[in-house]
Amino acid sequence: MRHGEVENPDGVLYGRLPGYHLSELGRRMADRVAEHLAPRDIVHVGASPLERAQETAEPIAKAHGLDIATDRRLIEAENVFQGKTFGIGDGALRRPANWKHVVNPFKPSWGESYVDQVVRMMGALESAKDAARGHEAVLVSHQLPIWIVRSYVEKRRLWHDPRRRQCTLASLTTFTYRGDKIVSVGYSEPALDLVPAHLRAGAKSAKGAGKAYGA
């Protein structure tokens, strides 16, 4: 699961910075998904250590009488632009100091490599599979790591256009195992009606709404 909306009045790319909590809308998203998942056979709930992921996982864990298992492998991707504004139309790419960080979109050169994200996220999936074998687990993470591990499992290239990620706020990307092998990947958006239109998967950025904040 991707976490819900975050309170971010300054519009920075918050990345792994501490102190970024769910907004009131984000808490409603988390509650909505917890209600959606209430009938499921969930025996394990894990989450990134960042506040927004922990707060998203809380109502799900509570509904099933579980503690949250914090797993650092689920954390947001590292990014050198953390703490700064960096998005469409803000002039970031015209600043010479930033050029060295955007020379290789295939790695990517501005942060944690896609391959490293795959390795840690697959490790988190494997641990959750073992913890919930025969049942279900929920892991709360962040947009980029979720999309990268899904791309890997579905045998797509890892470099991509960020605007084409199918990973809306509070969405569920489901990996189904048969034994120790992933046999299918699903996607659903139980809180879609709560997500602002410009933040939905595949939405075209409105003017002034295209900044790349933390995910």
Side-chain angles (χ1 to χ4, degrees):
M1 178 181 178
R2 183 184 172 192
H3 62 79
E5 185 192 62
V6 176
E7 189 69 33
N8 183 18
D10 296 325
V12 301
L13 195 158
Y14 37 80
R16 294 181 176 181
L17 293 173
Y20 283 87
H21 298 266
L22 292 183
S23 65
E24 180 58 35
L25 178 58
R27 292 183 182 278
R28 288 170 57 201
M29 291 177 182
D31 288 340
R32 171 70 64 77
V33 178
E35 293 171 6
H36 174 77
L37 294 174
R40 307 297 302 190
D41 183 24
I42 295 167
V43 299
H44 177 82
V45 176
S48 155
L50 297 174
E51 292 96 333
R52 57 193 185 270
Q54 293 280 317
E55 292 164 0
T56 299
E58 185 177 356
I60 300 170
K62 183 177 179 181
H64 293 274
L66 300 169
D67 294 325
I68 298 170
T70 300
D71 189 337
R72 188 168 177 80
R73 292 173 295 186
L74 297 169
I75 200 167
E76 174 65 288
E78 187 177 19
N79 194 309
V80 298
F81 297 111
Q82 175 177 288
K84 304 175 182 178
T85 58
F86 187 87
I88 299 168
D90 70 356
L93 293 177
R94 293 195 295 272
R95 301 169 197 158
N98 290 337
W99 294 349
K100 64 183 178 181
H101 299 302
V102 294
V103 295
N104 185 359
F106 305 104
K107 185 176 181 288
S109 51
W110 54 83
E112 182 184 13
S113 77
Y114 293 139
V115 172
D116 287 347
Q117 291 178 61
V118 167
V119 170
R120 64 177 173 86
M121 290 293 286
M122 285 300 298
L125 285 176
E126 290 293 316
S127 295
K129 176 258 296 177
D130 290 339
R133 191 175 290 274
H135 305 277
E136 295 178 271
V138 175
L139 301 177
V140 182
S141 186
H142 307 268
Q143 185 191 62
L144 180 55
I146 294 171
W147 181 249
I148 289 300
V149 75
R150 177 181 172 183
S151 296
Y152 170 78
V153 170
E154 295 185 325
K155 295 180 169 52
R156 287 194 302 274
R157 67 188 185 208
L158 301 183
W159 61 272
H160 61 283
D161 182 343
R163 296 168 297 182
R164 296 185 179 276
R165 294 174 192 159
Q166 188 183 43
C167 193
T168 298
L169 289 166
S171 61
L172 296 170
T173 300
T174 304
F175 299 88
T176 301
Y177 282 83
R178 181 174 296 128
D180 293 323
K181 182 180 179 181
I182 297 174
V183 295
S184 67
V185 179
Y187 178 78
S188 60
E189 299 173 334
L192 181 61
D193 61 302
L194 299 177
V195 179
H198 71 280
L199 295 178
R200 297 178 183 181
K204 293 182 179 179
S205 296
K207 186 176 182 180
K211 291 188 181 297
Y213 303 148

